[in-house]
Amino acid sequence: MAPTAIVSDIHSNIHALNAVLEDARACSVQRVVCLGDVIGYGAHPIECIDAARTFDFCLRGNHEDGIAGKLDLFNEDARQAALWTRRLLKAGLLAPEEKKNRWQFVQERPRRREEEGAMFVHGSPRNPVWEYLFDFDCADLFGRASDKVMENLALVSEFCFVGHTHVPGVIDDGGRFIHLEALGDPFELETGAKAIVNVGSVGQPRDGDPRASYALFDGRKVTFRRVEYDVAAACQDIIAEPDLPDSAGQRLLQGF
Ligand code: ZN
C-alpha cells in the first residue's frame, strides 16, 4: 500500500487538521484517508469538509449520520453542535452549487472500506458508524475481554482501522488494549496476527494529550503521530460562536 496517512475525528478543527496535513506531507505520504466525523464540536465545518473532499476516501462517522437526522443518540454538547453545523451546511433547492455539493458530500459518506487486507470503519467492524470499542471493553488483568470485542475481532482478517473513541492504541488478537506508551514504534503485526488499530482524533483528542493524533500506514507498519497545533486558537473560535457549547473548546486544552 502506498504510504498513507489515516486521520479520523477531525471535528471541524481546521487548526489541528492543517497541522496534521503538513506533518503528513513532511513524512512523504502519498494518500490521506479519513475514518469519519469530519464535523461536529468545532467552529470550521466548511473548511474541514472542503479538505476532506480532496482525500482518497472519507467514511461516514456518527456526526455525519447525526446532522443527516439521527440526533437522538447524541449527548447535549454534541446535539447542540450538530444543530449549529446543520444550520450552516444544509442546502435547499436554491442554494449555490458549491453549498449543495458540500451537503451532498456529508450525506453520501460510505460506512466502510476494505483494501489489501485492511478494513477501515469509524466505530467497529460489526457496527461501522456507531459502536465504540473502549479500552475498558478490552481484556482485564485475567485476560478476559468482553464478547463485544471478541465478536468484532472475529470479523477482522488482518488490520482494521477505527476512530470514534478519540483514544489511540491497538487491540491485539487476544482482545487486549495496548496504549501508545506500551507499543513498539512503529507497530508491526506478526505473521497470521490481527489487530484493531485506533488512530485517535485529529481535532478532539481524549487521551490526556492535547496534540492532534493520526497514523501512518504502509500496508505492514503503523506509525502513530502526535502533532502540536494552535489549541488556544481552536478553543477561542468555538467560544466566539455563541451557538457552540464552550465546553467543546475548553476540553481541547486538556485533551479530554
Ligand atoms: Zn468523534
Side-chain angles (χ1 to χ4, degrees), residues 9 11 37 41 62-63 122 164 166 206:
D9 297 273
H11 285 302
D37 276 7
Y41 300 119
N62 55 308
H63 284 254
H122 182 67
H164 196 30
H166 301 202
R206 292 181 191 156

Side-chain angles (χ1 to χ4, degrees), residues 159 170 178 183-189 195 197 220-224:
F159 281 102
V170 170
I178 311 166
L183 276 174
D185 191 35
F187 167 73
E188 269 185 90
L189 269 191
V197 176
R220 290 308 323 160
K221 296 193 298 284
V222 182
T223 307
F224 289 90

Side-chain angles (χ1 to χ4, degrees), residues 63-256:
H63 284 254
E64 280 77 43
D65 245 22
I67 75 156
K70 294 177 192 162
L71 288 174
D72 43 328
L73 293 172
F74 277 7
N75 65 38
E76 192 43 41
D77 276 5
R79 212 177 74 83
Q80 202 185 330
L83 288 171
W84 175 80
T85 307
R86 179 154 70 193
R87 282 199 299 279
L88 194 70
L89 295 177
K90 197 165 182 179
L93 225 51
L94 299 175
E97 212 53 34
E98 187 57 10
K99 189 170 183 183
K100 279 189 196 162
N101 292 342
R102 204 177 279 127
W103 181 235
Q104 197 176 359
F105 176 83
V106 172
Q107 291 181 300
E108 288 179 347
R109 290 308 81 220
R111 290 166 191 279
R112 68 167 74 235
R113 171 100 173 190
E114 300 207 31
E115 44 183 65
E116 298 173 45
M119 181 194 292
F120 301 85
V121 290
H122 182 67
S124 77
R126 69 175 185 185
N127 182 345
V129 178
W130 284 90
E131 186 172 56
Y132 291 93
L133 294 175
F134 289 112
D135 48 358
F136 55 76
D137 294 320
C138 294
D140 57 20
L141 287 175
F142 307 102
R144 292 176 303 227
S146 63
D147 292 347
K148 172 168 116 175
V149 164
M150 297 317 285
E151 283 167 22
N152 274 297
L153 272 168
L155 299 173
V156 177
S157 57
E158 202 173 15
F159 281 102
C160 176
F161 291 94
V162 302
H164 196 30
T165 65
H166 301 202
V167 176
V170 170
I171 301 174
D172 71 9
D173 38 13
R176 287 171 290 262
F177 191 89
I178 311 166
H179 286 271
L180 288 196
E181 317 75 83
L183 276 174
D185 191 35
F187 167 73
E188 269 185 90
L189 269 191
E190 285 165 30
T191 315
K194 55 169 127 174
I196 298 175
V197 176
N198 194 315
V199 301
S201 167
V202 168
Q204 199 189 84
R206 292 181 191 156
D207 63 342
D209 182 342
R211 293 176 300 168
S213 175
Y214 80 104
L216 303 170
F217 183 56
D218 66 359
R220 290 308 323 160
K221 296 193 298 284
V222 182
T223 307
F224 289 90
R225 303 282 300 168
R226 296 309 286 253
V227 184
E228 287 194 20
Y229 75 96
D230 194 343
V231 182
C235 171
Q236 266 317 311
D237 289 353
I238 291 171
I239 289 170
E241 176 48 60
D243 288 337
L244 286 175
D246 289 358
S247 54
Q250 283 147 356
R251 69 188 304 175
L252 297 178
L253 303 170
Q254 273 80 42
F256 273 117

